[in-house]
Every structure is written in C-alpha cells, then in structure tokens.
Amino acid sequence: MPDRRSLKFYQADVFTAEPFGGNPVAVFPEAEGLSDDQLQQIAREMNLSETVFVFPPTDKAAVARLRIFTPTQEIPFAGHPVLGTFYVLAELGIIPVKGAVIRVMQECNIGLFPVELHADEGQVERVVMTQPRPEFLGPVEETEDLYKVASALGLAKHVIADTKWPIEVVSTGLPVMIVPVRTLTAVRSIRPDASAITDVCRRFGANGIMVYTTVTVEPSSTVHARMFAPAIGILEDPATGSASGALGAYLVQNGVVDVAPTTEIIVEQGYAIDRPSRIFVQVDSDDDIIQTVKVGGECVMVMEGTLKF
C-alpha cells in the first residue's frame, strides 16, 4: 500500500456551550499542500454543513487564511465555521489567549475581516466576527412570487403576508432571502421542499431562505429562526452566522426591533432539529445607516481525530 497522508482534525459545536447543540464544524489546522479536489473530498467525507481548512495567510495582516467547504462546494464566506475555527486555533495554542479580548484578522475568499476572542483567565468564552457591510438586494413583492416562497416552505401565503414585514434578499457576505412568519407554530410547521427552495433562491440570487418570527421559545431571545439552503447542500442548518448577520441588518433596517446606535439581537435557531443555538448579533448604526454587523457566540470542543488517505 502506498504511503498515506495523515491530517489532524478537530470538531467544535458553535453557538452553544453544550456538546451536541449549536452547529458543528470540522477544522483542519494544517491543510497546506492539499489540492482543491482533496479539500472537496474531505468535506464530503466529514459530511457536516461546513468543513474549514486553515492555510498560511497571503496577507501579513491576517493570522490565517480559511477555505470553507460544504459537502458539495466551496463557499467564499460563512459565520459559524469562522467562529469555530478561531476557537479551535485558540484551544490549540496557535493563537495565544492573552488578555480579555484578543483581536486578530482572518483572511477568506472575499477579503480580510476582524475576529475577536473574548476570554476569562485564558479560556475563550465567546468568539465574535465582523461581517461585511450589509447589502439590501431587493424585496420579493409579486403575488405569484409570494405564493412560490410560501409553497416551497409548505406554508399558506397569508402566514407570511399577515406579518406586514417584507420578504427581502440581504447579504453580509452571502445573500440570503429573509422571510417573516407570523407565529412560532407556523415556523415549526414548515415542511421544506428542497427543489422548490433551490429554484426560488436561484431566481432571486440567494444561497438560502431564513425564516423568522418575533415569537420566541426563550424570553431573552429576539427572534426564532430556521434556515434552509439545499442549493449548497444544507437542507436545514442548525445555526447560521452569515444569515444571522443578514437577519440582524434586516431587523434594524425595517424597524422590526427597537433600534439604537448599537442594537443587540439574539437569534435562537436549531430547535426544530434538536440542536438549540443562540446567536448574538450586534448592529451599529450612525444617522440611520448601518455601519457594522458583528456576529458571535459560544463554542465547545467535542472531537479530535486523524484522517488518513
């Protein structure tokens, strides 16, 4: 048998302090030398919503360059994979944890972005990433389109239309269609049609559909959400950092929440698939213009191992 390569990997659950909650991510801290085909094969083998491969940065301002893969394709940007990766790098000592807040830069396929590690006595308690400034890419207004969105989710059209809030495509790195729903019962009743969701997303240039309601399970939460992205290989995601950033910007832009110079939002997600998650979103505004969106959460290490191929 020819020589086989061995790669260490680690798995963390993100947006939770408890194992088996939140959204898992696999992290390969030493991916240099792997081909694109090997990266995709490994991500398919890990079979998580995302797998992250860490490379030396090409920009000296960054501490690491991340490449992020779903089981079917590479994506340029994401939320929970970034947070989980920097948590793992800190746990391994690759990023020294000195002080209460450690600020570093990450390099990804759409540029450089800040990441903050919030620590207490050397232990990381929360990881926070700054996302690209939001882009509001247009509402979905035609009656026929509303029916298509509702049908793709297995909902009646009035469940969406009665909210008075728009369906809108928003991006803080990845475009997502934000869909308001009136009640928690309606959100729980969603029966996603993967093919129909893919068709709707393709038509409007979105990577997925994030459904939200202002009725929540936990009293401290702001919104309850579910995220569907079958076009990139994820039927339902338990916790979506990139989409939560877009959702936070949407909530502020449309006045769904009480808006302040700094608006703090808690998104609860993953309850329908038994992986409860809590995503912290901070939206900073100046003169009613959104300046920055930050997304953060807790993480916990759950697995380490060696891949041989």
Side-chain angles (χ1 to χ4, degrees), residues 133 252 259-263 283-292:
R133 185 173 291 189
V252 168
V259 177
T262 296
T263 305
V283 182
D284 294 326
S285 307
D286 184 17
D287 290 333
D288 297 326
I289 298 174
I290 295 173
Q291 301 297 323
T292 59

Side-chain angles (χ1 to χ4, degrees), residues 153-208:
L153 298 169
L155 296 173
K157 172 179 167 289
H158 73 85
V159 172
I160 298 170
D162 287 354
T163 65
K164 81 178 182 181
W165 307 115
I167 298 176
E168 190 169 9
V169 178
V170 183
S171 176
T172 52
L174 285 179
V176 60
M177 181 181 291
I178 308 294
V179 177
V181 169
R182 190 162 53 88
T183 67
L184 188 59
T185 299
V187 174
R188 287 170 168 165
S189 73
I190 290 171
R191 296 294 179 265
D193 180 328
S195 178
I197 290 173
T198 298
D199 288 344
V200 167
C201 288
R202 185 178 295 117
R203 177 173 180 183
F204 290 96
N207 278 294

